[in-house]
Amino acid sequence: MLRRPKILAAMGVVALSVALTGVSLGGPPADAAPPDAAPPSAAAAFREAAAKYGVPEPVLLAVSYAESRWDDHAGAQSTSGGFGPMHLTAPGAASAADLSDKRKVGAADSPRTLYKAAELTGLDPVALRKDTAANINGGAAVLASYQKSLGLPVGADTSPAEWYGAVASYAEAPDKVGAGGFADDVYSIMAKGAARTTNMGQQIVMPALAVTPDKSQIGKLSLPAGVQPSTSDVECPPSLGCEWLPAPYSEFGDGDYGNHDLANRPKTGKIDYIVVHDTEGGWQGVLNLVQDPTYVSWQYTMRSSDGHVWQHVKANDVAWHAGNWYVNMHSIGIEHEGFAAQGATWYTESLYRNSAKLVRYLAVKNNIPLDRAHIIGHDQVPGTIPSTVRGMHWDPGPYWDWEHYMDLIGAPIWGKSVLPVREGSIVSIKPGFEGNVQVLTNCTGAGTTCTPQGTNFVYLRQAPDDNAPLVKDLGLHPDGSDSTTVVSDIGARVAAGSQYVVAERQGDWVAVWYLGAKGWFKSPASAPDAFAKPGLVVKPKAGLKTVPVYGRAYPEQSAYPAGIPYQTVTPLQYSIGEGQAYPVGDLNIETDYYRAVTFAGEPPTDHVQVLGKDKYYQIWFGHRMAYVRAADVDVRPAI
């Protein structure tokens, strides 16, 4: 179903320029138009560039799909400085002035592809960045130049199997493992075929074409071999070529140490979650930080430009990344190069694809369910006690495409119209991404409106009315004020893949239980944002007016042995009211506390898992997850 563009009308009108002029490859041509009426369709641009520069069209299409899924992102640069459907890259380029003066970035010495494309095509760098057809021509010219440099034949009629080396070169990877991984992705895409409507309304179809590429061409590339799976001790799919860059486990004075804890998971606590972070900085600075024993840690870092992966902490050890010790105890953290609030940038397809490979590998290895209750954003991690809720993180932010990401992982977000959306139903949120343009503010400063683009959420209101205020979140706004459109304010957002119980329905409007109250969003039958699904819900036990919720599932006081202080079980400032219901995320939560406060441990009271008998359930609650005591609730199938 082609989804409608969604715009939060009550908070400002965002004009979308959507030209449905594209044609499917291999289909009938578009009606003739006056010469200057409109630019050629993207599909035609791929055909023409392939013929002009002698690149097989399936190769050009598959490379572009692997780089950007054919989106042009309206000329905005990616998190790694790439532009357009071919992701032509320019180091340090941030403005048209930078792009029009090659001397500013030392183009002659630059390995990046935008200026290489300018030299090969004679096109202006600004045009290569902003104009879709020019960008596609630039990418084709670069691919052809790589093919020629390898001494291989060029021509639109050459076999795609003979372009493996050129495709690998296009990755701009630092070694042959990374280059080969990108090329393998491209040929996998080619074999499956693809079809989609781009962010500018251009429909493109790439028929499936299975070929056996000549992988021996990788030997022609002047690149180091890279990390070889047979000699590496990283926990990573072999095709990713991950590197081991250890976070230091060391003392640094005054009895303090960093920057993670030794453990023996799953024996000292099972791994339930993979937490998706963004770095809020460039990858090199982030790698420097994780090697600082006085800083925090995480298990993996991913580079945006090519999805290259470094591992820092073993999965059986506990990294300090989530801001919640209970979640740290039970999770693996992955940092992705990017900036949550930079609406002018986009996470690259290479980043998404390689992250998805890593997450699937880790989930299978550690028996982690592949769903959005367990593959979570940092923004879903709850505060530990009331005072910490407001300071919790909100990355990877509203511009992370959860729907595409979960598709790549092989666990698509539920979006089936099988059950009616009615009171008592569990609904899964799936608003689309490219066409779901929600108004956000303060991306580039107080009072500014963020660059319009796709987002991963819909807002909740206090009444079924476009002009009603957003719902309240007492944790983020303890003064009782309404939630806002500020990019970091997640108080009124239901994100893709999250689940809620329907409290009421009025026409196109659906109310769900959210942070102890009703929150309304519009979900018309013609283009729904929520889909009913089977599942379990928790409700307060009979006679209980309210039920507390928690940010961690710590043991009861009697579970702690002598020498280990009791960790107080403190409820958050929210509660579940009588008659309310919330979806179950996980019934098999481990009630425990991993005691690790000294370097290397002091037996028998340190590096010890304290197990409790007071059972908890993980639930969907507000934008973040939460825990409830099993003794307080009943578990029932949704209606």
mmCIF file of all heavy atoms in Angstrom, residues 34-79:
data_model
loop_
_atom_site.group_PDB
_atom_site.id
_atom_site.type_symbol
_atom_site.label_atom_id
_atom_site.label_comp_id
_atom_site.label_asym_id
_atom_site.label_seq_id
_atom_site.Cartn_x
_atom_site.Cartn_y
_atom_site.Cartn_z
ATOM 1 N N PRO A 34 6.799 18.482 -22.349
ATOM 2 C CA PRO A 34 7.618 19.542 -22.941
ATOM 3 C C PRO A 34 9.053 19.443 -22.440
ATOM 4 O O PRO A 34 9.289 19.028 -21.300
ATOM 5 C CB PRO A 34 6.934 20.834 -22.446
ATOM 6 C CG PRO A 34 5.532 20.423 -22.140
ATOM 7 C CD PRO A 34 5.601 19.006 -21.682
ATOM 8 N N PRO A 35 10.044 19.829 -23.257
ATOM 9 C CA PRO A 35 11.459 19.634 -22.923
ATOM 10 C C PRO A 35 11.864 20.166 -21.557
ATOM 11 O O PRO A 35 12.652 19.542 -20.861
ATOM 12 C CB PRO A 35 12.185 20.374 -24.057
ATOM 13 C CG PRO A 35 11.208 20.394 -25.194
ATOM 14 C CD PRO A 35 9.854 20.439 -24.572
ATOM 15 N N ASP A 36 11.343 21.299 -21.134
ATOM 16 C CA ASP A 36 11.770 21.899 -19.876
ATOM 17 C C ASP A 36 10.740 21.731 -18.768
ATOM 18 O O ASP A 36 10.826 22.359 -17.723
ATOM 19 C CB ASP A 36 12.052 23.393 -20.070
ATOM 20 C CG ASP A 36 13.177 23.624 -21.067
ATOM 21 O OD1 ASP A 36 14.102 22.791 -21.079
ATOM 22 O OD2 ASP A 36 13.114 24.622 -21.807
ATOM 23 N N ALA A 37 9.746 20.838 -18.977
ATOM 24 C CA ALA A 37 8.667 20.730 -18.002
ATOM 25 C C ALA A 37 9.096 20.018 -16.743
ATOM 26 O O ALA A 37 8.677 20.359 -15.658
ATOM 27 C CB ALA A 37 7.476 20.008 -18.620
ATOM 28 N N ALA A 38 9.933 19.001 -16.862
ATOM 29 C CA ALA A 38 10.324 18.217 -15.691
ATOM 30 C C ALA A 38 11.609 17.476 -15.993
ATOM 31 O O ALA A 38 11.892 17.152 -17.153
ATOM 32 C CB ALA A 38 9.212 17.221 -15.328
ATOM 33 N N PRO A 39 12.417 17.205 -14.976
ATOM 34 C CA PRO A 39 13.623 16.424 -15.198
ATOM 35 C C PRO A 39 13.252 14.984 -15.526
ATOM 36 O O PRO A 39 12.141 14.543 -15.267
ATOM 37 C CB PRO A 39 14.341 16.517 -13.839
ATOM 38 C CG PRO A 39 13.245 16.752 -12.861
ATOM 39 C CD PRO A 39 12.220 17.578 -13.577
ATOM 40 N N PRO A 40 14.194 14.231 -16.116
ATOM 41 C CA PRO A 40 13.897 12.832 -16.415
ATOM 42 C C PRO A 40 13.670 12.048 -15.123
ATOM 43 O O PRO A 40 14.170 12.407 -14.055
ATOM 44 C CB PRO A 40 15.160 12.353 -17.141
ATOM 45 C CG PRO A 40 16.244 13.287 -16.677
ATOM 46 C CD PRO A 40 15.558 14.604 -16.488
ATOM 47 N N SER A 41 12.897 10.977 -15.222
ATOM 48 C CA SER A 41 12.664 10.158 -14.051
ATOM 49 C C SER A 41 13.965 9.523 -13.600
ATOM 50 O O SER A 41 14.926 9.392 -14.374
ATOM 51 C CB SER A 41 11.640 9.069 -14.373
ATOM 52 O OG SER A 41 12.209 8.108 -15.235
ATOM 53 N N ALA A 42 14.012 9.116 -12.340
ATOM 54 C CA ALA A 42 15.208 8.455 -11.828
ATOM 55 C C ALA A 42 15.478 7.170 -12.587
ATOM 56 O O ALA A 42 16.632 6.818 -12.855
ATOM 57 C CB ALA A 42 15.049 8.186 -10.334
ATOM 58 N N ALA A 43 14.407 6.439 -12.929
ATOM 59 C CA ALA A 43 14.585 5.197 -13.677
ATOM 60 C C ALA A 43 15.265 5.470 -15.008
ATOM 61 O O ALA A 43 16.194 4.756 -15.414
ATOM 62 C CB ALA A 43 13.232 4.521 -13.891
ATOM 63 N N ALA A 44 14.815 6.518 -15.709
ATOM 64 C CA ALA A 44 15.442 6.877 -16.982
ATOM 65 C C ALA A 44 16.879 7.331 -16.772
ATOM 66 O O ALA A 44 17.763 7.047 -17.596
ATOM 67 C CB ALA A 44 14.630 7.976 -17.660
ATOM 68 N N ALA A 45 17.140 8.046 -15.684
ATOM 69 C CA ALA A 45 18.495 8.512 -15.401
ATOM 70 C C ALA A 45 19.456 7.340 -15.220
ATOM 71 O O ALA A 45 20.609 7.395 -15.689
ATOM 72 C CB ALA A 45 18.496 9.398 -14.156
ATOM 73 N N PHE A 46 19.011 6.286 -14.548
ATOM 74 C CA PHE A 46 19.866 5.100 -14.409
ATOM 75 C C PHE A 46 20.141 4.471 -15.770
ATOM 76 O O PHE A 46 21.281 4.077 -16.066
ATOM 77 C CB PHE A 46 19.207 4.082 -13.480
ATOM 78 C CG PHE A 46 19.410 4.367 -12.023
ATOM 79 C CD1 PHE A 46 18.343 4.779 -11.222
ATOM 80 C CD2 PHE A 46 20.658 4.232 -11.428
ATOM 81 C CE1 PHE A 46 18.528 5.041 -9.868
ATOM 82 C CE2 PHE A 46 20.852 4.500 -10.080
ATOM 83 C CZ PHE A 46 19.779 4.907 -9.298
ATOM 84 N N ARG A 47 19.114 4.360 -16.627
ATOM 85 C CA ARG A 47 19.293 3.768 -17.952
ATOM 86 C C ARG A 47 20.295 4.568 -18.775
ATOM 87 O O ARG A 47 21.207 4.021 -19.402
ATOM 88 C CB ARG A 47 17.960 3.707 -18.690
ATOM 89 C CG ARG A 47 17.067 2.553 -18.311
ATOM 90 C CD ARG A 47 15.986 2.329 -19.358
ATOM 91 N NE ARG A 47 15.124 3.496 -19.505
ATOM 92 C CZ ARG A 47 13.994 3.670 -18.827
ATOM 93 N NH1 ARG A 47 13.619 2.776 -17.926
ATOM 94 N NH2 ARG A 47 13.261 4.747 -19.020
ATOM 95 N N GLU A 48 20.099 5.892 -18.774
ATOM 96 C CA GLU A 48 20.948 6.753 -19.594
ATOM 97 C C GLU A 48 22.389 6.774 -19.098
ATOM 98 O O GLU A 48 23.335 6.752 -19.900
ATOM 99 C CB GLU A 48 20.358 8.154 -19.626
ATOM 100 C CG GLU A 48 19.017 8.223 -20.352
ATOM 101 C CD GLU A 48 18.275 9.526 -20.124
ATOM 102 O OE1 GLU A 48 18.872 10.442 -19.509
ATOM 103 O OE2 GLU A 48 17.106 9.623 -20.542
ATOM 104 N N ALA A 49 22.581 6.827 -17.771
ATOM 105 C CA ALA A 49 23.944 6.847 -17.221
ATOM 106 C C ALA A 49 24.658 5.531 -17.483
ATOM 107 O O ALA A 49 25.862 5.510 -17.788
ATOM 108 C CB ALA A 49 23.889 7.138 -15.727
ATOM 109 N N ALA A 50 23.939 4.427 -17.370
ATOM 110 C CA ALA A 50 24.544 3.119 -17.641
ATOM 111 C C ALA A 50 25.034 3.040 -19.081
ATOM 112 O O ALA A 50 26.144 2.570 -19.352
ATOM 113 C CB ALA A 50 23.527 2.016 -17.352
ATOM 114 N N ALA A 51 24.206 3.522 -20.007
ATOM 115 C CA ALA A 51 24.599 3.481 -21.420
ATOM 116 C C ALA A 51 25.756 4.439 -21.698
ATOM 117 O O ALA A 51 26.697 4.106 -22.437
ATOM 118 C CB ALA A 51 23.389 3.836 -22.291
ATOM 119 N N LYS A 52 25.713 5.626 -21.092
ATOM 120 C CA LYS A 52 26.726 6.651 -21.384
ATOM 121 C C LYS A 52 28.111 6.251 -20.894
ATOM 122 O O LYS A 52 29.120 6.467 -21.585
ATOM 123 C CB LYS A 52 26.304 7.973 -20.743
ATOM 124 C CG LYS A 52 27.265 9.133 -21.018
ATOM 125 C CD LYS A 52 26.723 10.437 -20.468
ATOM 126 C CE LYS A 52 27.648 11.594 -20.789
ATOM 127 N NZ LYS A 52 27.090 12.886 -20.276
ATOM 128 N N TYR A 53 28.179 5.642 -19.710
ATOM 129 C CA TYR A 53 29.495 5.357 -19.120
ATOM 130 C C TYR A 53 29.885 3.883 -19.206
ATOM 131 O O TYR A 53 30.947 3.498 -18.719
ATOM 132 C CB TYR A 53 29.529 5.847 -17.674
ATOM 133 C CG TYR A 53 29.479 7.351 -17.604
ATOM 134 C CD1 TYR A 53 28.287 8.009 -17.334
ATOM 135 C CD2 TYR A 53 30.607 8.122 -17.860
ATOM 136 C CE1 TYR A 53 28.216 9.389 -17.297
ATOM 137 C CE2 TYR A 53 30.560 9.501 -17.829
ATOM 138 C CZ TYR A 53 29.365 10.141 -17.553
ATOM 139 O OH TYR A 53 29.317 11.520 -17.535
ATOM 140 N N GLY A 54 29.028 3.074 -19.811
ATOM 141 C CA GLY A 54 29.399 1.688 -20.057
ATOM 142 C C GLY A 54 29.361 0.800 -18.835
ATOM 143 O O GLY A 54 30.244 -0.036 -18.637
ATOM 144 N N VAL A 55 28.331 0.996 -18.019
ATOM 145 C CA VAL A 55 28.153 0.171 -16.819
ATOM 146 C C VAL A 55 26.869 -0.644 -16.992
ATOM 147 O O VAL A 55 25.833 -0.074 -17.353
ATOM 148 C CB VAL A 55 28.030 1.049 -15.547
ATOM 149 C CG1 VAL A 55 27.866 0.175 -14.307
ATOM 150 C CG2 VAL A 55 29.243 1.950 -15.401
ATOM 151 N N PRO A 56 26.901 -1.951 -16.765
ATOM 152 C CA PRO A 56 25.647 -2.709 -16.844
ATOM 153 C C PRO A 56 24.602 -2.101 -15.913
ATOM 154 O O PRO A 56 24.871 -1.827 -14.743
ATOM 155 C CB PRO A 56 26.052 -4.116 -16.398
ATOM 156 C CG PRO A 56 27.514 -4.194 -16.675
ATOM 157 C CD PRO A 56 28.041 -2.810 -16.435
ATOM 158 N N GLU A 57 23.402 -1.902 -16.429
ATOM 159 C CA GLU A 57 22.361 -1.249 -15.643
ATOM 160 C C GLU A 57 22.067 -1.972 -14.334
ATOM 161 O O GLU A 57 21.898 -1.317 -13.296
ATOM 162 C CB GLU A 57 21.084 -1.114 -16.478
ATOM 163 C CG GLU A 57 20.038 -0.234 -15.834
ATOM 164 C CD GLU A 57 18.831 -0.021 -16.728
ATOM 165 O OE1 GLU A 57 18.948 -0.244 -17.944
ATOM 166 O OE2 GLU A 57 17.780 0.362 -16.188
ATOM 167 N N PRO A 58 21.999 -3.314 -14.298
ATOM 168 C CA PRO A 58 21.766 -3.986 -13.010
ATOM 169 C C PRO A 58 22.844 -3.679 -11.975
ATOM 170 O O PRO A 58 22.555 -3.580 -10.778
ATOM 171 C CB PRO A 58 21.757 -5.465 -13.382
ATOM 172 C CG PRO A 58 21.398 -5.502 -14.824
ATOM 173 C CD PRO A 58 22.033 -4.282 -15.413
ATOM 174 N N VAL A 59 24.095 -3.530 -12.431
ATOM 175 C CA VAL A 59 25.183 -3.202 -11.499
ATOM 176 C C VAL A 59 24.973 -1.804 -10.926
ATOM 177 O O VAL A 59 25.070 -1.587 -9.707
ATOM 178 C CB VAL A 59 26.548 -3.296 -12.205
ATOM 179 C CG1 VAL A 59 27.660 -2.723 -11.315
ATOM 180 C CG2 VAL A 59 26.860 -4.738 -12.564
ATOM 181 N N LEU A 60 24.658 -0.839 -11.790
ATOM 182 C CA LEU A 60 24.466 0.537 -11.329
ATOM 183 C C LEU A 60 23.297 0.630 -10.357
ATOM 184 O O LEU A 60 23.390 1.272 -9.297
ATOM 185 C CB LEU A 60 24.229 1.444 -12.535
ATOM 186 C CG LEU A 60 24.174 2.952 -12.270
ATOM 187 C CD1 LEU A 60 25.489 3.446 -11.680
ATOM 188 C CD2 LEU A 60 23.843 3.702 -13.557
ATOM 189 N N LEU A 61 22.203 -0.036 -10.682
ATOM 190 C CA LEU A 61 21.037 -0.007 -9.804
ATOM 191 C C LEU A 61 21.322 -0.671 -8.465
ATOM 192 O O LEU A 61 20.934 -0.163 -7.411
ATOM 193 C CB LEU A 61 19.863 -0.715 -10.485
ATOM 194 C CG LEU A 61 19.125 0.086 -11.566
ATOM 195 C CD1 LEU A 61 18.257 -0.845 -12.403
ATOM 196 C CD2 LEU A 61 18.273 1.180 -10.944
ATOM 197 N N ALA A 62 21.996 -1.816 -8.485
ATOM 198 C CA ALA A 62 22.250 -2.550 -7.239
ATOM 199 C C ALA A 62 23.225 -1.792 -6.344
ATOM 200 O O ALA A 62 23.069 -1.782 -5.116
ATOM 201 C CB ALA A 62 22.770 -3.945 -7.544
ATOM 202 N N VAL A 63 24.234 -1.156 -6.939
ATOM 203 C CA VAL A 63 25.166 -0.360 -6.137
ATOM 204 C C VAL A 63 24.426 0.799 -5.479
ATOM 205 O O VAL A 63 24.591 1.075 -4.282
ATOM 206 C CB VAL A 63 26.327 0.157 -7.006
ATOM 207 C CG1 VAL A 63 27.123 1.234 -6.259
ATOM 208 C CG2 VAL A 63 27.258 -0.983 -7.390
ATOM 209 N N SER A 64 23.585 1.478 -6.252
ATOM 210 C CA SER A 64 22.836 2.603 -5.687
ATOM 211 C C SER A 64 21.883 2.141 -4.591
ATOM 212 O O SER A 64 21.747 2.810 -3.554
ATOM 213 C CB SER A 64 22.047 3.308 -6.798
ATOM 214 O OG SER A 64 21.278 4.361 -6.267
ATOM 215 N N TYR A 65 21.239 1.007 -4.799
ATOM 216 C CA TYR A 65 20.321 0.498 -3.771
ATOM 217 C C TYR A 65 21.088 0.176 -2.485
ATOM 218 O O TYR A 65 20.620 0.460 -1.380
ATOM 219 C CB TYR A 65 19.592 -0.740 -4.279
ATOM 220 C CG TYR A 65 18.439 -1.162 -3.407
ATOM 221 C CD1 TYR A 65 17.159 -0.692 -3.656
ATOM 222 C CD2 TYR A 65 18.620 -2.009 -2.311
ATOM 223 C CE1 TYR A 65 16.082 -1.052 -2.848
ATOM 224 C CE2 TYR A 65 17.559 -2.377 -1.497
ATOM 225 C CZ TYR A 65 16.296 -1.901 -1.773
ATOM 226 O OH TYR A 65 15.246 -2.261 -0.968
ATOM 227 N N ALA A 66 22.272 -0.409 -2.627
ATOM 228 C CA ALA A 66 23.081 -0.739 -1.451
ATOM 229 C C ALA A 66 23.573 0.505 -0.733
ATOM 230 O O ALA A 66 23.823 0.482 0.478
ATOM 231 C CB ALA A 66 24.273 -1.601 -1.858
ATOM 232 N N GLU A 67 23.707 1.605 -1.467
ATOM 233 C CA GLU A 67 24.188 2.844 -0.867
ATOM 234 C C GLU A 67 23.073 3.692 -0.261
ATOM 235 O O GLU A 67 23.249 4.310 0.785
ATOM 236 C CB GLU A 67 24.924 3.690 -1.922
ATOM 237 C CG GLU A 67 26.256 3.116 -2.363
ATOM 238 C CD GLU A 67 27.372 3.335 -1.360
ATOM 239 O OE1 GLU A 67 27.079 3.630 -0.182
ATOM 240 O OE2 GLU A 67 28.541 3.211 -1.742
ATOM 241 N N SER A 68 21.905 3.728 -0.932
ATOM 242 C CA SER A 68 20.882 4.695 -0.505
ATOM 243 C C SER A 68 19.457 4.224 -0.709
ATOM 244 O O SER A 68 18.524 4.979 -0.417
ATOM 245 C CB SER A 68 21.050 5.993 -1.306
ATOM 246 O OG SER A 68 20.700 5.758 -2.669
ATOM 247 N N ARG A 69 19.252 3.008 -1.202
ATOM 248 C CA ARG A 69 17.926 2.530 -1.600
ATOM 249 C C ARG A 69 17.293 3.468 -2.623
ATOM 250 O O ARG A 69 16.095 3.632 -2.681
ATOM 251 C CB ARG A 69 17.018 2.348 -0.385
ATOM 252 C CG ARG A 69 17.541 1.313 0.604
ATOM 253 C CD ARG A 69 16.722 1.278 1.867
ATOM 254 N NE ARG A 69 15.426 0.668 1.670
ATOM 255 C CZ ARG A 69 14.308 1.082 2.265
ATOM 256 N NH1 ARG A 69 14.330 2.137 3.072
ATOM 257 N NH2 ARG A 69 13.159 0.464 2.055
ATOM 258 N N TRP A 70 18.153 4.096 -3.460
ATOM 259 C CA TRP A 70 17.760 4.977 -4.562
ATOM 260 C C TRP A 70 17.213 6.321 -4.092
ATOM 261 O O TRP A 70 16.764 7.120 -4.914
ATOM 262 C CB TRP A 70 16.738 4.294 -5.484
ATOM 263 C CG TRP A 70 17.195 3.000 -6.080
ATOM 264 C CD1 TRP A 70 18.455 2.693 -6.516
ATOM 265 C CD2 TRP A 70 16.395 1.843 -6.324
ATOM 266 N NE1 TRP A 70 18.490 1.413 -7.023
ATOM 267 C CE2 TRP A 70 17.240 0.862 -6.918
ATOM 268 C CE3 TRP A 70 15.052 1.520 -6.121
ATOM 269 C CZ2 TRP A 70 16.787 -0.409 -7.297
ATOM 270 C CZ3 TRP A 70 14.598 0.268 -6.493
ATOM 271 C CH2 TRP A 70 15.447 -0.681 -7.074
ATOM 272 N N ASP A 71 17.248 6.626 -2.832
ATOM 273 C CA ASP A 71 16.777 7.920 -2.338
ATOM 274 C C ASP A 71 17.825 9.001 -2.604
ATOM 275 O O ASP A 71 19.040 8.734 -2.538
ATOM 276 C CB ASP A 71 16.492 7.868 -0.847
ATOM 277 C CG ASP A 71 15.200 7.136 -0.519
ATOM 278 O OD1 ASP A 71 14.370 6.951 -1.431
ATOM 279 O OD2 ASP A 71 15.027 6.745 0.649
ATOM 280 N N ASP A 72 17.362 10.228 -2.864
ATOM 281 C CA ASP A 72 18.317 11.335 -3.040
ATOM 282 C C ASP A 72 18.447 12.197 -1.790
ATOM 283 O O ASP A 72 19.322 13.041 -1.704
ATOM 284 C CB ASP A 72 17.943 12.196 -4.246
ATOM 285 C CG ASP A 72 16.668 13.008 -4.055
ATOM 286 O OD1 ASP A 72 16.033 12.911 -2.991
ATOM 287 O OD2 ASP A 72 16.309 13.744 -4.995
ATOM 288 N N HIS A 73 17.562 12.003 -0.809
ATOM 289 C CA HIS A 73 17.592 12.735 0.466
ATOM 290 C C HIS A 73 17.614 14.249 0.257
ATOM 291 O O HIS A 73 18.137 14.994 1.079
ATOM 292 C CB HIS A 73 18.778 12.282 1.314
ATOM 293 C CG HIS A 73 18.676 10.862 1.762
ATOM 294 N ND1 HIS A 73 18.018 10.472 2.902
ATOM 295 C CD2 HIS A 73 19.128 9.710 1.185
ATOM 296 C CE1 HIS A 73 18.074 9.161 3.026
ATOM 297 N NE2 HIS A 73 18.722 8.674 1.993
ATOM 298 N N ALA A 74 17.022 14.667 -0.859
ATOM 299 C CA ALA A 74 16.856 16.104 -1.145
ATOM 300 C C ALA A 74 18.172 16.874 -1.055
ATOM 301 O O ALA A 74 18.205 18.037 -0.662
ATOM 302 C CB ALA A 74 15.813 16.710 -0.210
ATOM 303 N N GLY A 75 19.261 16.231 -1.425
ATOM 304 C CA GLY A 75 20.554 16.898 -1.416
ATOM 305 C C GLY A 75 21.233 16.958 -0.073
ATOM 306 O O GLY A 75 22.346 17.493 0.036
ATOM 307 N N ALA A 76 20.597 16.428 0.969
ATOM 308 C CA ALA A 76 21.223 16.426 2.302
ATOM 309 C C ALA A 76 22.340 15.390 2.347
ATOM 310 O O ALA A 76 22.306 14.374 1.650
ATOM 311 C CB ALA A 76 20.186 16.107 3.364
ATOM 312 N N GLN A 77 23.337 15.646 3.182
ATOM 313 C CA GLN A 77 24.458 14.717 3.278
ATOM 314 C C GLN A 77 24.192 13.676 4.350
ATOM 315 O O GLN A 77 23.461 13.907 5.301
ATOM 316 C CB GLN A 77 25.752 15.461 3.578
ATOM 317 C CG GLN A 77 25.829 16.084 4.970
ATOM 318 C CD GLN A 77 27.127 16.822 5.198
ATOM 319 O OE1 GLN A 77 27.634 17.494 4.313
ATOM 320 N NE2 GLN A 77 27.668 16.706 6.387
ATOM 321 N N SER A 78 24.789 12.514 4.165
ATOM 322 C CA SER A 78 24.658 11.444 5.152
ATOM 323 C C SER A 78 25.573 11.715 6.327
ATOM 324 O O SER A 78 26.363 12.666 6.327
ATOM 325 C CB SER A 78 25.028 10.100 4.522
ATOM 326 O OG SER A 78 26.429 10.001 4.329
ATOM 327 N N THR A 79 25.490 10.858 7.321
ATOM 328 C CA THR A 79 26.346 11.006 8.494
ATOM 329 C C THR A 79 27.821 10.872 8.154
ATOM 330 O O THR A 79 28.678 11.283 8.930
ATOM 331 C CB THR A 79 25.980 9.950 9.551
ATOM 332 O OG1 THR A 79 25.909 8.672 8.916
ATOM 333 C CG2 THR A 79 24.647 10.260 10.185
#
